[in-house]
Short mmCIF file of all heavy atoms in Angstrom, two decimals:
data_model
loop_
_atom_site.label_atom_id
_atom_site.label_comp_id
_atom_site.label_asym_id
_atom_site.label_seq_id
_atom_site.Cartn_x
_atom_site.Cartn_y
_atom_site.Cartn_z
N ALA V 1 -34.44 -28.51 19.39
CA ALA V 1 -35.66 -27.84 19.81
C ALA V 1 -36.83 -28.11 18.84
O ALA V 1 -37.99 -27.80 19.14
CB ALA V 1 -35.44 -26.34 19.93
N LEU V 2 -36.54 -28.68 17.68
CA LEU V 2 -37.59 -28.93 16.69
C LEU V 2 -38.53 -30.03 17.20
O LEU V 2 -38.09 -31.02 17.80
CB LEU V 2 -36.99 -29.33 15.34
CG LEU V 2 -36.17 -28.26 14.61
CD1 LEU V 2 -35.47 -28.85 13.40
CD2 LEU V 2 -37.06 -27.12 14.21
N ALA V 3 -39.83 -29.88 16.90
CA ALA V 3 -40.79 -30.89 17.34
C ALA V 3 -40.48 -32.24 16.67
O ALA V 3 -40.55 -33.29 17.31
CB ALA V 3 -42.19 -30.42 16.97
N GLN V 4 -40.16 -32.22 15.38
CA GLN V 4 -39.74 -33.40 14.66
C GLN V 4 -38.27 -33.24 14.31
O GLN V 4 -37.89 -32.44 13.48
CB GLN V 4 -40.56 -33.60 13.41
CG GLN V 4 -41.48 -34.75 13.49
CD GLN V 4 -42.15 -34.99 12.14
OE1 GLN V 4 -42.79 -34.12 11.56
NE2 GLN V 4 -42.01 -36.20 11.64
N ARG V 5 -37.43 -33.99 15.01
CA ARG V 5 -35.99 -33.78 14.83
C ARG V 5 -35.51 -34.41 13.52
O ARG V 5 -35.96 -35.49 13.15
CB ARG V 5 -35.24 -34.48 15.97
CG ARG V 5 -35.37 -33.73 17.28
CD ARG V 5 -34.49 -34.36 18.32
NE ARG V 5 -34.67 -33.68 19.57
CZ ARG V 5 -34.29 -34.16 20.75
NH1 ARG V 5 -33.78 -35.39 20.84
NH2 ARG V 5 -34.48 -33.46 21.82
N PRO V 6 -34.54 -33.78 12.91
CA PRO V 6 -33.91 -34.41 11.74
C PRO V 6 -33.16 -35.65 12.16
O PRO V 6 -32.84 -35.82 13.33
CB PRO V 6 -32.92 -33.32 11.25
CG PRO V 6 -33.39 -32.07 11.89
CD PRO V 6 -34.06 -32.45 13.16
N ARG V 7 -32.89 -36.51 11.20
CA ARG V 7 -32.12 -37.74 11.52
C ARG V 7 -30.62 -37.50 11.48
O ARG V 7 -29.85 -38.26 12.04
CB ARG V 7 -32.48 -38.81 10.47
CG ARG V 7 -33.89 -39.32 10.58
CD ARG V 7 -34.16 -40.52 9.66
NE ARG V 7 -33.04 -40.95 8.89
CZ ARG V 7 -33.00 -40.93 7.57
NH1 ARG V 7 -34.04 -40.54 6.86
NH2 ARG V 7 -31.96 -41.41 6.91
N VAL V 8 -30.20 -36.45 10.73
CA VAL V 8 -28.76 -36.26 10.46
C VAL V 8 -28.34 -34.83 10.69
O VAL V 8 -29.03 -33.89 10.26
CB VAL V 8 -28.44 -36.66 9.00
CG1 VAL V 8 -26.97 -36.48 8.69
CG2 VAL V 8 -28.91 -38.06 8.66
N LEU V 9 -27.20 -34.66 11.35
CA LEU V 9 -26.51 -33.40 11.45
C LEU V 9 -25.21 -33.55 10.67
O LEU V 9 -24.38 -34.40 10.99
CB LEU V 9 -26.21 -33.03 12.91
CG LEU V 9 -25.41 -31.73 13.10
CD1 LEU V 9 -26.27 -30.51 12.71
CD2 LEU V 9 -24.93 -31.60 14.52
N TRP V 10 -25.07 -32.72 9.63
CA TRP V 10 -23.90 -32.82 8.73
C TRP V 10 -23.21 -31.45 8.76
O TRP V 10 -23.85 -30.43 8.62
CB TRP V 10 -24.38 -33.09 7.31
CG TRP V 10 -23.33 -33.40 6.32
CD1 TRP V 10 -22.32 -32.57 5.94
CD2 TRP V 10 -23.22 -34.58 5.53
NE1 TRP V 10 -21.55 -33.18 4.97
CE2 TRP V 10 -22.10 -34.41 4.69
CE3 TRP V 10 -23.97 -35.77 5.42
CZ2 TRP V 10 -21.69 -35.37 3.77
CZ3 TRP V 10 -23.55 -36.72 4.54
CH2 TRP V 10 -22.44 -36.54 3.72
N THR V 11 -21.89 -31.45 8.99
CA THR V 11 -21.16 -30.18 8.94
C THR V 11 -20.20 -30.19 7.80
O THR V 11 -19.62 -31.21 7.44
CB THR V 11 -20.38 -29.89 10.27
OG1 THR V 11 -19.34 -30.84 10.42
CG2 THR V 11 -21.33 -29.88 11.48
N GLN V 12 -20.07 -29.07 7.15
CA GLN V 12 -19.28 -28.91 5.93
C GLN V 12 -17.78 -29.02 6.17
O GLN V 12 -17.29 -29.07 7.31
CB GLN V 12 -19.58 -27.55 5.28
CG GLN V 12 -20.85 -27.58 4.48
CD GLN V 12 -20.77 -28.47 3.24
OE1 GLN V 12 -19.71 -28.65 2.63
NE2 GLN V 12 -21.87 -29.07 2.90
N LEU V 13 -17.05 -29.00 5.05
CA LEU V 13 -15.58 -29.09 5.10
C LEU V 13 -15.04 -28.01 6.00
O LEU V 13 -15.44 -26.82 5.94
CB LEU V 13 -15.02 -28.92 3.72
CG LEU V 13 -15.32 -30.07 2.73
CD1 LEU V 13 -14.86 -29.67 1.32
CD2 LEU V 13 -14.67 -31.34 3.18
N GLY V 14 -14.14 -28.38 6.91
CA GLY V 14 -13.53 -27.43 7.84
C GLY V 14 -14.36 -27.14 9.09
O GLY V 14 -13.97 -26.36 9.94
N VAL V 15 -15.53 -27.77 9.21
CA VAL V 15 -16.45 -27.52 10.31
C VAL V 15 -16.50 -28.79 11.16
O VAL V 15 -17.01 -29.85 10.73
CB VAL V 15 -17.83 -27.10 9.89
CG1 VAL V 15 -18.71 -26.81 11.08
CG2 VAL V 15 -17.75 -25.86 8.96
N ARG V 16 -15.93 -28.69 12.35
CA ARG V 16 -15.90 -29.86 13.24
C ARG V 16 -16.09 -29.38 14.70
O ARG V 16 -15.40 -28.45 15.11
CB ARG V 16 -14.62 -30.63 13.08
CG ARG V 16 -14.57 -31.88 13.95
CD ARG V 16 -13.43 -32.77 13.55
NE ARG V 16 -13.39 -33.88 14.45
CZ ARG V 16 -12.95 -35.07 14.17
NH1 ARG V 16 -12.47 -35.31 12.96
NH2 ARG V 16 -12.90 -36.04 15.08
N ASP V 17 -16.92 -30.10 15.44
CA ASP V 17 -17.12 -29.83 16.87
C ASP V 17 -17.45 -31.16 17.50
O ASP V 17 -18.60 -31.63 17.43
CB ASP V 17 -18.21 -28.82 17.09
CG ASP V 17 -18.40 -28.43 18.54
OD1 ASP V 17 -18.31 -29.32 19.41
OD2 ASP V 17 -18.67 -27.27 18.83
N ASP V 18 -16.47 -31.82 18.10
CA ASP V 18 -16.65 -33.14 18.65
C ASP V 18 -17.64 -33.17 19.82
O ASP V 18 -18.39 -34.13 19.96
CB ASP V 18 -15.30 -33.72 19.09
CG ASP V 18 -14.42 -34.09 17.91
OD1 ASP V 18 -14.98 -34.54 16.87
OD2 ASP V 18 -13.21 -33.86 18.01
N ALA V 19 -17.67 -32.10 20.63
CA ALA V 19 -18.63 -32.05 21.72
C ALA V 19 -20.07 -31.98 21.20
O ALA V 19 -20.94 -32.64 21.71
CB ALA V 19 -18.31 -30.87 22.66
N ALA V 20 -20.27 -31.18 20.17
CA ALA V 20 -21.61 -31.07 19.57
C ALA V 20 -21.99 -32.41 18.95
O ALA V 20 -23.16 -32.81 19.02
CB ALA V 20 -21.66 -29.93 18.57
N ALA V 21 -21.04 -33.07 18.31
CA ALA V 21 -21.30 -34.36 17.68
C ALA V 21 -21.74 -35.38 18.75
O ALA V 21 -22.70 -36.11 18.54
CB ALA V 21 -20.07 -34.87 16.90
N ALA V 22 -21.06 -35.40 19.84
CA ALA V 22 -21.42 -36.33 20.92
C ALA V 22 -22.79 -36.04 21.44
O ALA V 22 -23.59 -36.96 21.71
CB ALA V 22 -20.36 -36.25 22.06
N ARG V 23 -23.12 -34.76 21.62
CA ARG V 23 -24.44 -34.35 22.05
C ARG V 23 -25.51 -34.77 21.07
O ARG V 23 -26.59 -35.28 21.43
CB ARG V 23 -24.51 -32.84 22.21
CG ARG V 23 -24.81 -32.36 23.60
CD ARG V 23 -24.76 -30.85 23.72
NE ARG V 23 -26.05 -30.28 23.32
CZ ARG V 23 -26.16 -29.10 22.70
NH1 ARG V 23 -25.10 -28.38 22.38
NH2 ARG V 23 -27.33 -28.66 22.37
N ALA V 24 -25.26 -34.56 19.77
CA ALA V 24 -26.20 -34.94 18.73
C ALA V 24 -26.42 -36.45 18.70
O ALA V 24 -27.57 -36.92 18.63
CB ALA V 24 -25.73 -34.46 17.37
N GLU V 25 -25.34 -37.18 18.80
CA GLU V 25 -25.45 -38.67 18.81
C GLU V 25 -26.17 -39.18 20.02
O GLU V 25 -26.99 -40.10 19.94
CB GLU V 25 -24.07 -39.31 18.66
CG GLU V 25 -23.47 -39.08 17.31
CD GLU V 25 -22.02 -39.45 17.17
OE1 GLU V 25 -21.31 -39.46 18.20
OE2 GLU V 25 -21.59 -39.72 16.07
N ALA V 26 -25.96 -38.54 21.17
CA ALA V 26 -26.67 -38.91 22.40
C ALA V 26 -28.19 -38.66 22.25
O ALA V 26 -28.99 -39.34 22.88
CB ALA V 26 -26.12 -38.13 23.60
N ALA V 27 -28.56 -37.71 21.38
CA ALA V 27 -29.95 -37.40 21.14
C ALA V 27 -30.54 -38.25 20.02
O ALA V 27 -31.68 -38.07 19.62
CB ALA V 27 -30.12 -35.89 20.79
N GLY V 28 -29.70 -39.16 19.46
CA GLY V 28 -30.20 -40.08 18.43
C GLY V 28 -29.95 -39.67 17.02
O GLY V 28 -30.49 -40.32 16.09
N LEU V 29 -29.17 -38.61 16.77
CA LEU V 29 -28.91 -38.20 15.38
C LEU V 29 -27.66 -38.86 14.86
O LEU V 29 -26.75 -39.16 15.61
CB LEU V 29 -28.70 -36.64 15.35
CG LEU V 29 -29.92 -35.75 15.31
CD1 LEU V 29 -30.66 -35.77 16.63
CD2 LEU V 29 -29.47 -34.34 14.99
N GLN V 30 -27.64 -39.07 13.56
CA GLN V 30 -26.40 -39.48 12.88
C GLN V 30 -25.63 -38.22 12.63
O GLN V 30 -26.21 -37.16 12.38
CB GLN V 30 -26.73 -40.20 11.57
CG GLN V 30 -27.40 -41.55 11.73
CD GLN V 30 -27.64 -42.16 10.41
OE1 GLN V 30 -28.57 -41.74 9.72
NE2 GLN V 30 -26.90 -43.18 10.04
N VAL V 31 -24.31 -38.33 12.66
CA VAL V 31 -23.49 -37.14 12.50
C VAL V 31 -22.41 -37.41 11.44
O VAL V 31 -21.76 -38.45 11.42
CB VAL V 31 -22.81 -36.73 13.81
CG1 VAL V 31 -21.89 -35.52 13.63
CG2 VAL V 31 -23.86 -36.41 14.87
N VAL V 32 -22.21 -36.41 10.57
CA VAL V 32 -21.08 -36.39 9.63
C VAL V 32 -20.45 -35.01 9.78
O VAL V 32 -21.15 -34.00 9.73
CB VAL V 32 -21.51 -36.61 8.17
CG1 VAL V 32 -20.34 -36.51 7.22
CG2 VAL V 32 -22.20 -37.97 8.00
N MET V 33 -19.12 -34.98 9.99
CA MET V 33 -18.44 -33.69 10.13
C MET V 33 -17.29 -33.58 9.13
O MET V 33 -16.70 -34.60 8.73
CB MET V 33 -17.88 -33.57 11.55
CG MET V 33 -18.93 -33.49 12.62
SD MET V 33 -18.28 -33.03 14.25
CE MET V 33 -17.12 -34.32 14.55
N ASN V 34 -17.03 -32.33 8.74
CA ASN V 34 -15.89 -32.01 7.91
C ASN V 34 -15.99 -32.75 6.57
O ASN V 34 -14.99 -33.21 6.03
CB ASN V 34 -14.61 -32.34 8.62
CG ASN V 34 -13.38 -31.78 7.90
OD1 ASN V 34 -13.47 -30.75 7.25
ND2 ASN V 34 -12.27 -32.46 8.06
N ARG V 35 -17.18 -32.84 6.03
CA ARG V 35 -17.41 -33.46 4.70
C ARG V 35 -18.46 -32.61 3.97
O ARG V 35 -19.24 -31.88 4.56
CB ARG V 35 -18.01 -34.85 4.85
CG ARG V 35 -17.07 -35.89 5.45
CD ARG V 35 -16.02 -36.32 4.45
NE ARG V 35 -15.13 -37.34 5.02
CZ ARG V 35 -15.24 -38.61 4.74
NH1 ARG V 35 -16.14 -39.08 3.93
NH2 ARG V 35 -14.35 -39.44 5.29
N CYS V 36 -18.44 -32.74 2.65
CA CYS V 36 -19.42 -32.01 1.84
C CYS V 36 -20.37 -33.05 1.17
O CYS V 36 -19.89 -33.95 0.48
CB CYS V 36 -18.70 -31.22 0.75
SG CYS V 36 -19.84 -30.39 -0.40
N PRO V 37 -21.68 -32.89 1.35
CA PRO V 37 -22.59 -33.85 0.70
C PRO V 37 -22.52 -33.79 -0.83
O PRO V 37 -22.72 -34.82 -1.48
CB PRO V 37 -23.95 -33.42 1.22
CG PRO V 37 -23.81 -32.03 1.69
CD PRO V 37 -22.39 -31.88 2.12
N LYS V 38 -22.20 -32.66 -1.41
CA LYS V 38 -22.03 -32.56 -2.85
C LYS V 38 -20.89 -33.43 -3.34
O LYS V 38 -20.98 -34.19 -4.28
CB LYS V 38 -21.85 -31.09 -3.28
CG LYS V 38 -21.57 -30.91 -4.75
CD LYS V 38 -21.31 -29.43 -5.06
CE LYS V 38 -21.15 -29.13 -6.51
NZ LYS V 38 -20.00 -29.80 -7.14
N ILE V 39 -19.76 -33.31 -2.64
CA ILE V 39 -18.60 -34.06 -3.03
C ILE V 39 -18.84 -35.56 -2.78
O ILE V 39 -18.52 -36.43 -3.62
CB ILE V 39 -17.33 -33.60 -2.21
CG1 ILE V 39 -16.96 -32.20 -2.64
CG2 ILE V 39 -16.19 -34.56 -2.39
CD1 ILE V 39 -15.90 -31.53 -1.78
#
């Protein structure tokens, strides 16, 4: 819904939703799931 969409949707360790990932990728976002950017 944001006017300027982010490029990346990242979900933290233990957080995974394949349907949401597919939706995000269909909208042009890069997706990382079940990972920590700090690590």
Side-chain angles (χ1 to χ4, degrees):
L2 294 172
Q4 252 187 301
R5 289 184 181 163
R7 293 187 0 242
V8 180
L9 177 68
W10 188 301
T11 68
Q12 278 294 328
L13 294 171
V15 180
R16 183 168 175 150
D17 184 320
D18 290 323
R23 240 176 84 214
E25 289 169 337
L29 278 70
Q30 291 179 288
V31 176
V32 177
M33 293 190 301
N34 192 28
R35 294 284 181 103
C36 176
K38 177 184 184 296
I39 292 170

